[in-house]
Amino acid sequence: MRREATLSLVVGNSSGQREFINTVIDTGFDGFLSLPSEIIVRLGLPWTISNPATLGDGSEVLFDFYRNFGLKPRPFRTAF
């Protein structure tokens, strides 16, 4: 059985449009959230900047950063 830390979030745009997403928390979490390009397009998130980032294998890639509005954790629920 594979166990991963997950979190449900709401992401949105300045017009109030919202998308619910389920995420897997990476052990290298640095405060940024990666979104599928389909969600970025659907929400029309504005591009901010492109920056290089170093991956776990040491290679560098260029990431585009977009402005996200309304990032909120969903209420915590215990599952048995």
Side-chain angles (χ1 to χ4, degrees), residues 5-28:
T6 61
L7 182 66
S8 295
L9 299 172
V10 177
V11 294
N13 60 22
S14 60
S15 299
Q17 184 179 354
R18 300 287 182 252
E19 294 266 345
F20 292 91
I21 60 170
N22 292 312
T23 62
V24 175
I25 302 171
D26 186 344
T27 56

Side-chain angles (χ1 to χ4, degrees), residues 40-55:
I40 293 169
V41 169
R42 268 198 310 266
L43 293 174
L45 299 178
W47 177 83
T48 305
I49 194 170
S50 293
N51 274 337
T54 305
L55 301 180

Side-chain angles (χ1 to χ4, degrees), residues 50-77:
S50 293
N51 274 337
T54 305
L55 301 180
D57 66 359
S59 62
E60 283 204 0
V61 294
L62 193 62
F63 282 99
D64 288 326
F65 288 77
Y66 295 83
R67 176 76 173 111
N68 176 0
F69 302 88
L71 182 63
K72 302 175 188 174
R74 293 179 72 182
F76 176 77
R77 286 182 271 168

